[in-house]
Amino acid sequence: MTQSKLYLPIALALVLLVPALGHTQTKTFAVTQFTVHGPDKYQYLKQGIQSMVVSRLSWPGRLQAMDATKVDAAQPAPPASEAEALALLKKLHADYIVYGSLTIAGEEASLDMHFLDAAGKSWPKAVQAKLANLVPAMEKAVKEAGAEIFQRPPSPSQAAGAGPGGKTPLPPNAAFLASQADNDSQKSYLNPNFRYAGPTQTPGVWRSQALPYASSGIAVGDVTGDGKNEIVVLGTASVEVFRYTNEQLVPVAKYEPPTNFQLLNVSTFDINGDGSAEIIVSARYFKEPRSFVLEHVGGKLELKHRDIALYLNVATLPPDFTRALVGSRPDPREVFTRGVSQVSFNGGQAVMGSTISLPKKANAFNFAFLPEKAGYRVILAEDDHLGVYSAKGERVALTEEEYAGSGIGVEHDPMMAPMDRPRNDYLWLYYYIPLPILVANLDTDPHHEILVSRNISVAAQFFENYRSFSQGEIHALYWDGVGLNLKWKTRRIKGTITGYALADIYNDGKPQLVVALNTWPGAMGVMNRKTVIMAYSLDTEGAGSAGTEYGNVQDID
C-alpha cells in the first residue's frame, strides 16, 4: 500500500513531463532537388539550392535534415505538385518537406519555394531577384521561413546591439571589409585596424622596406631549421630568403639561377623530413621545365636537385588534407600534359607517383581542395576565373569575377606543328600561371574560406611577357552550395599582387596574411618596380565571438 502511494505521484509527474518533452522534440525535414527552368548551364542549381536550404534551415536540437541522397533515392524527380510532395513526405516519414522550382530568363531569376508539413499545411515563399543576387535573396527567404514556421529566433548578428551574452562585437577592421557592402554598420573580425582607412603604421598591418627588384612569388617556411619561419621571395632573376626582425626584412641567403631561366613559382616543403624546409622553384628554359630545389647550408642556398623536367608545386591533398609535393609533365603545345601526380625523390631523381583525381584542366599550379563534411570540392583557376568541381570532376559553378590572375606568361601554341621551330617574332599565346588558391578555416564555424587575389584596373600593356596590374585585393570566399560568395576582403592594395601566404612570419604562434606586391610606377615605368611585403595580423581567437552564421562576420544580406 505504501509503495502504491509512492508510485502515484511519480506516474503523475511522468504524465505531465511527456508533453514538455514532446514540445522540444527534434523535428525532421526533407529538401528535394529543385526543378530548374532555364539554360542547361544552370541545371547544377538543382542540387545547389537543395544543399543551401538544408544548411540554412538546420537548427541543432530542433530541426534535423534528412540525408539528401535518401531523399533523392526515394524520388529522383522533383515533386510536380503539392499532392506529390505530400506523398513523398509521408513516404520519408519526415515532419516537413521543402520543394520548388527556379525559373531563369536572361539575368532575372524567379524562385518558388514551398514548405509543407505532414498535416498538409503549406507555406509558399516566392523570390524575385537578379541572377547575381539570387543567393542572398534565397538566404533571406529561408531565414524568414525559419522564423515564421518554426519560430526560430534571429542569430546574434541579426539582433540589434551586442553579440552573444550581451558582449559587444569586436572592433571593426580598416583593411578588411565584410562582404561587398561598405557601411559603418558592417562588422568584421581578424584585426581591429581593418575597417577604416589609415596610415600603414597603425596596429595590425606591417609593411616592409622596398626591395630593389620586382617579385614573382612568395613562400614561407622554416628554411634554416631553427624552428622559426623565414620568408622566401622569388624575384624575376633571384631567390632570396629573409627573416622578419625588428620591423624589417633581414637578408639570410640568396641564390641567382641562370639568367635565361624564367622563374614561375616558389614553395617550401620538407622533402627529406630533416626539420628544414627545402625551397622548390618551378622554372622554364626555352619552352621546357627546368625546376630546381634549394637547401640552406652554412648560411648559403645550395642546389640540392637541378634540371627537373617537371612543373613542381606543393598542394594540400585529401583525405587527410596534408601537404605534398606535386608535379605536371610538360607539353610543347598545351604547356601541361594532362594529369597531376605526387612527386618524390629517389637517388636524386624526381619520380612521379600516384595520379591525383582532378578535373582534366588541372595542372600543378591551378587547383586546391575545399574540405566538406562528406568529402571535398575542387577549386580550379581557369582563365582568371574560379571553377568549382565535384569530387567526380563535374563543374558546378564558375565565378563571373576574375581571380588569381598573375603576370607570369608561359608561351605556347596549340596549333603549332610538332616539328615547327618558330622565328623570334612568332606570335605566341600565353598561359598565365595563376596565383595561389589558399584554403583555410580562420574562424570557428565548420566552413572553410578560400583566399585568393582579385586584380583591379587591369593594365593592358604587356612587357617582357608580363602583364601588370595597378592595384588589387585579397578576397575570402565561401561555398554556399550554389556558388562562391564574398565573406570579407582586404581594402584595396596599391600595386601588383604577386603572391600571398597564411603563415607565422612574426614567429609569435599566430598566423598572418602575408602579401607580396610589386609597386606600380605607371605603365611606362614597369622596369622600375620594387617589391614590398605586407603582413596583416589575424585575430583567429576572436573570430567566433560575434556569433554569426559564417563565423563572426555579419551575414551578407
Side-chain angles (χ1 to χ4, degrees), residues 173 202 225 230-231 239 273 298 376 393:
N173 179 320
T202 50
E230 286 81 33
I231 304 166
V239 182
Y376 60 82

Side-chain angles (χ1 to χ4, degrees), residues 62-231:
R62 299 294 183 88
L63 277 174
Q64 182 177 348
M66 295 193 67
D67 188 281
T69 57
K70 293 182 179 179
V71 177
D72 296 342
Q75 183 170 316
S81 64
E82 185 174 309
E84 194 172 324
L86 186 59
L88 177 58
L89 175 59
K90 293 179 179 178
K91 181 179 179 180
L92 294 170
H93 302 290
D95 297 301
Y96 299 89
I97 192 168
V98 185
Y99 68 101
S101 64
L102 172 67
T103 302
I104 299 174
E107 296 299 317
E108 301 294 329
S110 175
L111 178 69
D112 292 308
M113 287 190 294
H114 298 273
F115 298 77
L116 186 67
D117 69 7
K121 185 176 180 180
S122 177
W123 294 267
K125 292 287 180 183
V127 175
Q128 302 284 337
K130 294 286 186 182
L131 189 58
N133 299 324
L134 177 60
V135 172
M138 288 169 54
E139 290 184 345
K140 185 177 180 181
V142 173
K143 289 178 182 177
E144 290 175 351
E148 176 186 347
I149 304 169
F150 308 109
Q151 290 74 51
R152 182 173 184 174
S155 65
S157 65
Q158 295 170 284
K167 295 180 181 178
T168 303
L170 293 179
N173 179 320
F176 284 178
L177 302 177
S179 85
Q180 294 176 338
D182 191 4
N183 56 67
D184 291 342
S185 65
Q186 198 77 316
K187 303 300 180 187
S188 177
Y189 66 90
L190 300 178
N191 183 304
N193 173 72
F194 290 170
R195 185 60 183 88
Y196 300 103
T200 57
Q201 290 79 16
T202 50
V205 182
W206 168 77
R207 184 189 293 265
S208 75
Q209 73 270 29
L211 306 178
Y213 51 81
S215 61
S216 301
I218 188 176
V220 179
D222 181 10
V223 174
T224 61
D226 62 354
K228 297 181 179 180
N229 285 327
E230 286 81 33
I231 304 166

Side-chain angles (χ1 to χ4, degrees), residues 206 208-215 217-224 226 228-235 238-255 268 279 296 299 301 504-507 514 516 531-533:
W206 168 77
S208 75
Q209 73 270 29
L211 306 178
Y213 51 81
S215 61
I218 188 176
V220 179
D222 181 10
V223 174
T224 61
D226 62 354
K228 297 181 179 180
N229 285 327
E230 286 81 33
I231 304 166
V232 183
V233 177
L234 183 69
S238 65
V239 182
E240 192 163 6
V241 178
F242 296 89
R243 180 180 291 115
Y244 172 87
T245 304
N246 297 326
E247 303 287 329
Q248 293 285 313
L249 289 179
V250 177
V252 175
K254 186 176 182 178
Y255 175 79
T268 59
I279 300 171
H296 183 267
L301 292 180
D504 180 13
I505 66 166
Y506 299 157
N507 294 299
V514 186
T531 297
V532 172
I533 308 298

Side-chain angles (χ1 to χ4, degrees), residues 342-369:
Q342 295 193 50
V343 176
S344 60
F345 285 88
N346 187 2
Q349 298 296 317
V351 179
M352 299 282 276
S354 57
T355 301
I356 304 166
S357 179
L358 287 166
K360 62 181 181 180
K361 292 184 179 181
N363 59 63
F365 304 116
N366 73 339
F367 74 92
F369 288 95

Side-chain angles (χ1 to χ4, degrees), residues 384 402 405-407 432 455-463 465-472 495-496 519-526 529:
D384 292 346
E402 295 185 350
S406 83
Y432 289 94
N455 289 305
I456 310 294
S457 301
V458 178
Q461 292 79 12
F462 290 80
F463 297 91
N465 299 340
Y466 285 69
R467 53 181 178 173
S468 298
F469 307 94
S470 61
Q471 52 193 330
T496 304
T519 57
W520 177 250
M524 301 307 295
V526 170
R529 293 171 299 174

